[in-house]
Amino acid sequence: MMTKKTPLVTGERVVVAVVVSRVILSLPLSLISHGFSLFLLCLSAFLVEIRAETSPFLLSRFSPRRGASSGILLGAVTLPSVMLSKLVQLTRAISLHEAGQDELSHVTMQYWAASASCCAILIYLSVVMSQAKRTESLSSSLWLTRVSLTGTVFYGVACFVSLSMISHTAVKLIRHLLCTFPSCASIGEALLVTSGLVLYFGDFLACTIAKICENMIPVDLVSISYGIKRTETGIIVQGLLLGLLLFPMVFRCVVHIYETFLRKRDGGQRNCSDAAKSILFFVSLVFFMVLAVPSWMQFVHDFHQHPFLWVLTFVFSEPLKRISLCIYWVLLIVVSVSRFYSISRSSKVERILLRKYYHLMAVLMFLPALVLQPKFLDLAFGAALAVFVALEIIRIWRVQPLGEPLHHFMNAFTDHRDSELLIVSHFSLLLGCALPIWMSSGFNDRALSPFSGILSLGIGDTMASMVGHKYGVLRWSKTGKKTVEGTAAGITSVMAVCFVLVPVLASMGYILSQGWWSLLLAVTATGMLEAYTAQLDNAFIPLVFYSLLCL
């Protein structure tokens, strides 16, 4: 089988190297071992990516998204870099007596868990590539496979022996994701999603296990691992999203039980009708999300009332501000979506530009709320994401009577990165804005870090696309569409907004210790990543920007 020659040095790899170097050089002495492990992970991912992009066998086996590079290096180092930047921030908090060792231990474990997930997936990809030697005969390719496999295995054995269950879960999850939703994501995007799911929901499951074993495990052991203070909002969002992701398995069991009952009653092979499935779907969804999942939340956090009642109490604790904000959101969504939908059906405006209007809408929705009501915005992001997940399940399964109309409506806003099987753009935009805000809870001495998603996507990415599309002449590469003019516009616009935002935050009492040179480096690196990467920028850019702002 012929191999494809790809350059060793690409713009995306250079930017990733700069970001990882910036993170490692910012580490205190107490985190040097963590930095060395990140370097090994980066080197292993680099070797695996080179091998993957010269082996059509690997890429075709998983049916990755067309038009995108493998993205293995970027996908492998993004989440560990974010967690390591968070550790750097926590060490500053401990020196100022603003955080405790238990929180540092918790984030340290999350860093190793994220690294273990990425490492396990790299080992799995290396093993898959090693099987290609039966059909490939080039000694250099085989040598590169052996080197990448050996280095990755060494890294995994050295660092993650105690995290074998996490590693096994990550491998199974990425295989399921790539096989269930072919052509919906690159390998790097699937790697980021997999490690994120393992880290986020594994944390909630570990809380549950710690609660169950509270009387069986020594108290000090539980407090070190999962004894950090958790907010009601965080528990509700985690439980709600995990419940929705587990619901498809629950619904399949319900349908199987119902069809078994029908066969026993009628004495023949009888399947559930579409109307009956729809009724079962909505009844099961209401029961599971209103009774089962809230009971799980109450068990984990010891709520004194039903979690949904707690949400109502929280919203009406400041009714004028929060109800007014909800009304503003609803009006903005209704007006914008109806207007953009009519434009998409009757106008020749390109989809990519039409979608950037949603980025601007995200700025109008989230920026005032983040400044005035940050705690309420945390909860609102979780509720919006839960609605998106529920609607996507309905659309994929074509649940009557909403499935087909919803499918046709959503298709009006898709582009080449979406497929009819799974539409990810709205998820990535919402998560890109939400994740930096969620991760900034607790101690935060970098006031701009919660705004990293809104600034990079709502301002930088939007201005880069619009200016580049209309005025761009000089392209960064011969095959790409990104232009120098667009990138310059994106970087300049983000810096301009920061110059306006910093005095506003200072007047409201936010801690401002971010140097302008480090801010310029973070904005520039993020802008260059947007220019060179072929991955889903909504997913990677906010996380990279956040990790650099935390340093």
Side-chain angles (χ1 to χ4, degrees), residues 157-321:
V157 172
C159 302
F160 307 122
V161 173
S162 61
L163 298 172
S164 57
M165 183 59 69
I166 293 177
S167 304
H168 180 68
T169 303
V171 170
K172 292 190 67 174
L173 188 57
I174 195 171
R175 289 178 60 186
H176 178 75
L177 184 65
L178 290 171
C179 294
T180 306
F181 301 105
S183 302
C184 293
S186 68
I187 296 178
E189 292 162 359
L191 200 159
L192 178 67
V193 171
T194 299
S195 57
L197 289 176
V198 170
L199 184 64
Y200 188 65
F201 295 122
D203 178 71
F204 192 78
L205 293 174
C207 287
T208 306
I209 295 173
K211 194 73 175 180
I212 294 173
C213 302
E214 201 169 38
N215 298 324
M216 301 173 60
I217 300 177
V219 177
D220 55 347
L221 179 60
V222 177
S223 63
I224 288 175
S225 299
Y226 289 96
I228 64 170
K229 185 178 180 180
R230 297 174 182 275
T231 63
E232 289 84 356
T233 301
I235 291 295
I236 289 174
V237 171
Q238 269 187 305
L240 193 62
L241 296 179
L242 180 58
L244 281 170
L245 291 179
L246 292 177
F247 174 73
M249 291 186 291
V250 174
F251 178 64
R252 289 180 187 276
C253 292
V254 171
V255 172
H256 178 73
I257 293 172
Y258 182 70
E259 289 180 343
T260 301
F261 168 77
L262 291 179
R263 292 180 187 125
K264 289 184 177 180
R265 188 190 66 178
D266 300 337
Q269 295 292 329
R270 181 179 175 184
N271 293 325
C272 187
S273 64
D274 291 339
K277 280 186 178 180
S278 299
I279 295 174
L280 281 176
F281 177 87
F282 289 109
V283 171
S284 302
L285 181 63
V286 171
F287 175 82
F288 188 66
M289 299 306 299
V290 175
L291 295 178
V293 172
S295 300
W296 190 4
M297 299 177 194
Q298 286 180 294
F299 174 76
V300 170
H301 190 71
D302 295 329
F303 282 91
H304 298 297
Q305 56 182 335
H306 193 282
F308 290 164
L309 294 179
W310 182 92
V311 170
L312 292 177
T313 303
F314 175 76
V315 171
F316 286 99
S317 61
E318 296 183 35
L320 181 60
K321 295 180 180 179

Side-chain angles (χ1 to χ4, degrees), residues 3 17 36 60 112 132 143 169 176 191 342 347 349 356 396 402 440 442 452 458 499 515 525 536:
T3 58
F36 182 67
S60 61
W112 290 117
W143 177 84
T169 303
H176 178 75
L191 200 159
S342 62
S347 176
V349 176
K356 297 307 175 184
I396 292 174
L402 301 177
S440 298
S452 56
F499 273 113
L536 189 62

Side-chain angles (χ1 to χ4, degrees), residues 1-3 51 133 135-143:
M1 183 181 296
M2 296 297 294
T3 58
R51 184 66 186 92
K133 65 185 178 182
T135 55
E136 296 184 14
S137 59
L138 293 180
S139 59
S140 60
S141 299
L142 296 179
W143 177 84

Side-chain angles (χ1 to χ4, degrees), residues 245-450:
L245 291 179
L246 292 177
F247 174 73
M249 291 186 291
V250 174
F251 178 64
R252 289 180 187 276
C253 292
V254 171
V255 172
H256 178 73
I257 293 172
Y258 182 70
E259 289 180 343
T260 301
F261 168 77
L262 291 179
R263 292 180 187 125
K264 289 184 177 180
R265 188 190 66 178
D266 300 337
Q269 295 292 329
R270 181 179 175 184
N271 293 325
C272 187
S273 64
D274 291 339
K277 280 186 178 180
S278 299
I279 295 174
L280 281 176
F281 177 87
F282 289 109
V283 171
S284 302
L285 181 63
V286 171
F287 175 82
F288 188 66
M289 299 306 299
V290 175
L291 295 178
V293 172
S295 300
W296 190 4
M297 299 177 194
Q298 286 180 294
F299 174 76
V300 170
H301 190 71
D302 295 329
F303 282 91
H304 298 297
Q305 56 182 335
H306 193 282
F308 290 164
L309 294 179
W310 182 92
V311 170
L312 292 177
T313 303
F314 175 76
V315 171
F316 286 99
S317 61
E318 296 183 35
L320 181 60
K321 295 180 180 179
R322 292 170 180 171
I323 298 299
S324 301
L325 191 58
C326 290
I327 295 174
Y328 166 70
W329 284 341
V330 170
L331 290 177
L332 185 62
I333 290 172
V334 170
V335 172
S336 301
V337 171
S338 59
R339 175 61 178 166
F340 295 159
Y341 182 74
S342 62
I343 292 176
S344 68
R345 304 293 290 182
S346 59
S347 176
K348 295 183 179 179
V349 176
E350 290 193 22
R351 290 283 179 92
I352 186 64
L353 293 181
L354 182 64
R355 286 153 56 89
K356 297 307 175 184
Y357 293 135
Y358 281 95
H359 288 219
L360 291 176
M361 188 179 76
V363 176
L364 295 177
M365 290 181 63
F366 304 143
L367 189 59
L370 181 55
V371 174
L372 302 175
Q373 285 287 323
K375 293 183 179 179
F376 181 60
L377 184 60
D378 285 349
L379 185 63
F381 272 131
L385 190 58
V387 171
F388 279 0
V389 173
L391 292 178
E392 188 66 8
I393 293 174
I394 293 173
R395 187 195 68 84
I396 292 174
W397 284 352
R398 303 294 195 275
V399 179
Q400 298 177 356
L402 301 177
E404 283 296 334
L406 188 62
H407 174 70
H408 293 300
F409 177 79
M410 293 298 297
N411 272 343
F413 306 103
T414 59
D415 66 2
H416 65 282
R417 293 174 295 189
D418 293 309
S419 68
E420 290 192 359
L421 188 59
L422 183 66
I423 299 176
V424 298
S425 297
H426 53 300
F427 287 107
S428 61
L429 176 60
L430 186 63
L431 278 173
C433 295
L435 285 177
I437 298 174
W438 286 343
M439 290 186 294
S440 298
S441 60
F443 175 81
N444 180 35
D445 60 346
R446 298 291 187 261
L448 289 176
S449 61

Side-chain angles (χ1 to χ4, degrees), residues 27 39 46 57 99 176 302 424 446 491 540:
L27 297 178
F39 169 76
F46 173 69
F57 170 77
H176 178 75
D302 295 329
V424 298
R446 298 291 187 261
I491 294 173
F540 290 98

Side-chain angles (χ1 to χ4, degrees), residues 6-17 20 37-54 58 70-78 118-119 122-123 125-126 129 143-145 147-149 151-152 155 191:
T6 57
L8 292 179
V9 179
T10 63
E12 180 181 298
R13 291 169 186 166
V14 171
V15 175
V16 171
V20 172
S37 69
L38 179 61
F39 169 76
L40 288 179
L41 181 64
C42 182
L43 180 61
S44 302
F46 173 69
L47 294 173
V48 173
E49 178 176 275
I50 293 174
R51 184 66 186 92
E53 294 189 353
T54 58
L58 176 64
S70 66
I72 294 173
L73 175 60
L74 180 60
V77 303
T78 297
C118 296
C119 176
L122 292 178
I123 293 175
L125 295 176
S126 298
M129 287 186 293
W143 177 84
L144 187 57
T145 299
V147 171
S148 60
L149 177 58
T152 309
Y155 176 65
L191 200 159

